[in-house]
Amino acid sequence: MTNQSVDVCIIGCGPSGLMLSRLLAIKGVSSIILERSKRTHVEKRIRAGVLEHGAAQTIIDSGMGERLKAERMLHDGVCFVIDGKQARIDLTAYAEGQQISVYGQHEVVQDMIAFTLENDVEIVFDAADVALHDFETGVSPSAGPNAGPSASPNASPSVTYQKDGQEHTVSCKYIAGCDGFHGVSRKSMPDDKITEFHRSFPFAWLGIMAKAEPASDELIYARHRNGFALHSMRSQILSRLYLQVPLETDIADWPDDKIWDELDLRLGADAGWSVNRGEIIDKSVTPLRSFVVEPMQLGKLFLAGDAAHIVPPTGAKGMNLAIADVRVLAVGLAKMLNENDGSMLNEYSQICLRRVWKAQRFSWWMTAILHTPEGAHDTYQSRIDQADLEHLLSSDCYAKIFAENYVGLPFEV
Ligand code: APR
Ligand code: PHB
């Protein structure tokens, strides 16, 4: 049995937990990260790969972006193929010179873990049975009405976990729940203190990673009668591609040749363009859904990233929202711990939710206009979506709104 003390106990070693720990360290606030999986598992999980302008800059400014700077692919625009017709939106022209960075989330996580350990912040991998205690009690100075119950200001939270057959306790001043959608943090909040908003979509994405040179310099989003497709990439020799498939899809029904043929069909424009084929090294099916919890705070427990909200991957906002949340949380916690000023911490949930709902709207909209539920081609809704896309691709005003959202809205904090 061990007992440790830190300012902030962070649960989850994804982009939100790792970035929070670094931003806190810069401000002299101590933290520990408790992660239930093994390091190799966390570092190899394949996720999306687009960083907004501000998210990439946050990683670079934090000191963890040396490899990102060297290896990322900076893109000025994105392409669309709508029923075989090609179009492009010049992001940089419409969004005041901002670009997106194409760089895999698992590479971001690898860079952040290496940096964190080199800088002597402890990450406990393989931490089982993580449990949160006494976070509902105690409020911070100048607490607003949503800050949690006004109980004893002296009560302090703790987190327990099992490792190597022993129970360990971390005593802390605050807990950051950065443990993703299936994590323990949000589940520790009583149901009557939170409201959850859910939306599921009637389709999934079949994603592949292939050892193939990307066939396009930019991302291509396709809307086709057979469904959505996306051409993305990770490097000059790795392509990342997706197909809309029915929810109950069994991956065994999609042999490699069938995937490539369908990608060619949906992404192929008038000019007879085709994707570059190569060895498929990863294949998965992921359902699309949206989720938000309000508020993102209860007492001294703060949720960030996927623990508080998830978006469908269209638009790649997941990792970007996680980074935006912890920017606010780090400043709020540091002001409280260093200056005894709880004003920003008490506003944490409201500040984050303003951005979260805008990203929810954007991701929902991109998903809706680019996908067609099976068998719903010649419907009123499909014509509306088509009109929406035609407007987007022919109007400077609309393209500017798209570009502003795609490269990332400005940070409030
Ligand atoms: N105890 C400890 N760790 C846990 C627990 C638990 N009970 N439950 C989950 N975790 C860990 C997971 O193993 C994972 O490593 O929390 C981490 C959460 O990381 P992410 O899921 O990457 O979430 P986040 O850091 O918020 O990043 C959001 O990740 O899922 C993508 O699309 C999402 O891009 C977005 C980004
Ligand atoms: C990806 O490269 O994985 C990716 C890119 C753009 C998206 C979603 C995923 O909208």
Side-chain angles (χ1 to χ4, degrees):
M1 172 135 181
T2 63
N3 206 326
Q4 254 179 297
S5 263
V6 286
D7 291 326
V8 182
C9 182
I10 299 174
I11 303 168
C13 185
S16 53
L18 287 157
M19 179 51 85
L20 176 63
S21 165
R22 175 63 190 147
L23 296 177
L24 290 175
I26 291 171
K27 293 177 184 298
V29 175
S30 65
S31 67
I32 184 172
I33 302 178
L34 306 181
E35 165 59 51
R36 78 169 163 199
S37 301
K38 294 195 184 325
R39 179 173 176 181
T40 45
H41 174 77
V42 175
E43 289 189 332
K44 291 215 160 76
R45 253 183 331 216
I46 298 193
R47 300 268 177 84
V50 174
L51 286 165
E52 293 174 354
H53 180 89
Q57 202 52 50
T58 304
I59 297 174
I60 292 166
D61 293 345
S62 76
M64 301 194 288
E66 283 310 305
R67 196 161 69 98
L68 169 68
K69 266 196 291 187
E71 295 181 13
R72 67 179 163 174
M73 305 167 97
L74 281 166
H75 287 192
D76 291 335
V78 284
C79 299
F80 292 86
V81 173
I82 308 303
D83 297 321
K85 294 208 169 31
Q86 245 181 334
R88 176 176 186 271
I89 292 186
D90 189 332
L91 297 171
T92 308
Y94 285 118
E96 292 163 8
Q98 299 185 76
Q99 296 168 300
I100 52 157
S101 297
V102 178
Y103 189 74
Q105 179 173 318
H106 70 286
E107 310 282 358
V108 171
V109 167
Q110 282 171 22
D111 298 345
M112 288 181 172
I113 289 177
F115 189 99
T116 304
L117 295 175
E118 272 161 30
N119 285 274
D120 296 329
V121 174
E122 190 179 354
I123 306 176
V124 180
F125 291 102
D126 252 335
D129 300 332
V130 170
L132 292 67
H133 312 278
D134 298 325
F135 59 84
E136 274 195 77
T137 55
V139 293
S140 35
S142 73
N146 298 322
S150 53
S152 158
N154 297 323
S156 56
S158 63
V159 179
T160 52
Y161 64 97
Q162 301 283 330
K163 170 124 184 168
D164 302 329
Q166 277 201 327
E167 170 147 311
H168 305 266
T169 303
V170 178
S171 304
C172 54
K173 295 176 183 143
Y174 294 95
I175 302 175
C178 300
D179 48 351
F181 181 68
H182 298 288
V184 63
S185 301
R186 189 183 68 255
K187 288 183 192 138
S188 306
M189 293 175 157
D191 288 347
D192 61 343
K193 298 271 170 56
I194 53 174
T195 307
E196 296 190 346
F197 300 84
H198 292 266
R199 166 159 298 205
S200 50
F201 296 86
F203 32 74
W205 277 16
L206 189 166
I208 60 163
M209 188 75 84
K211 285 188 181 167
E213 183 189 339
S216 154
D217 290 340
E218 293 182 330
L219 269 61
I220 307 172
Y221 290 93
R223 176 187 156 102
H224 186 274
R225 217 180 147 73
N226 284 11
F228 168 83
L230 169 60
H231 180 282
S232 182
M233 62 211 67
R234 289 294 177 271
S235 69
Q236 299 298 346
I237 52 162
L238 269 188
S239 294
R240 178 79 170 139
L241 301 123
Y242 300 94
L243 285 172
Q244 174 193 335
V245 291
L247 266 183
E248 60 288 354
T249 293
D250 181 352
I251 209 136
D253 295 336
W254 283 87
D256 295 1
D257 284 346
K258 183 174 167 188
I259 295 176
W260 290 119
D261 291 347
E262 194 62 26
L263 285 165
D264 273 343
L265 180 70
R266 297 189 196 178
L267 286 158
D270 283 345
W273 181 94
S274 62
V275 296
N276 290 332
R277 300 186 180 199
E279 184 196 347
I280 296 181
I281 53 173
D282 187 83
K283 219 192 244 191
S284 62
V285 174
T286 316
L288 270 61
R289 59 183 166 197
S290 309
F291 166 78
V292 181
V293 66
E294 289 185 4
M296 289 168 57
Q297 173 207 3
L298 184 61
K300 291 181 174 171
L301 167 61
F302 295 81
L303 303 178
D306 271 23
H309 41 73
I310 51 176
V311 283
T314 336
K317 290 290 167 218
M319 173 168 45
N320 294 295
L321 277 180
I323 289 173
D325 285 350
V326 299
R327 283 175 62 103
V328 184
L329 187 52
V331 175
L333 286 168
K335 270 182 184 287
M336 180 60 210
L337 290 163
N338 295 338
E339 299 160 35
N340 205 31
D341 172 2
S343 54
M344 183 170 296
L345 205 49
N346 290 318
E347 291 281 311
Y348 170 71
S349 193
Q350 292 97 313
I351 295 172
C352 291
L353 285 169
R354 283 195 280 274
R355 186 183 191 87
V356 166
W357 278 112
K358 288 182 193 106
Q360 288 285 338
R361 188 211 65 81
F362 182 68
S363 309
W364 161 82
W365 167 82
M366 260 192 99
T367 304
I369 58 162
L370 289 167
H371 295 67
T372 314
E374 241 194 328
H377 307 294
D378 297 312
T379 58
Y380 180 86
Q381 188 59 46
S382 75
R383 295 290 192 277
I384 293 285
D385 295 340
Q386 208 176 324
D388 203 345
L389 269 167
E390 278 171 22
H391 188 195
L392 169 69
L393 298 171
S394 61
S395 152
D396 279 342
C397 295
Y398 207 162
K400 193 169 164 60
I401 292 172
F402 174 86
E404 186 187 31
N405 279 283
Y406 198 86
V407 303
L409 296 172
F411 291 126
E412 267 189 57
V413 174

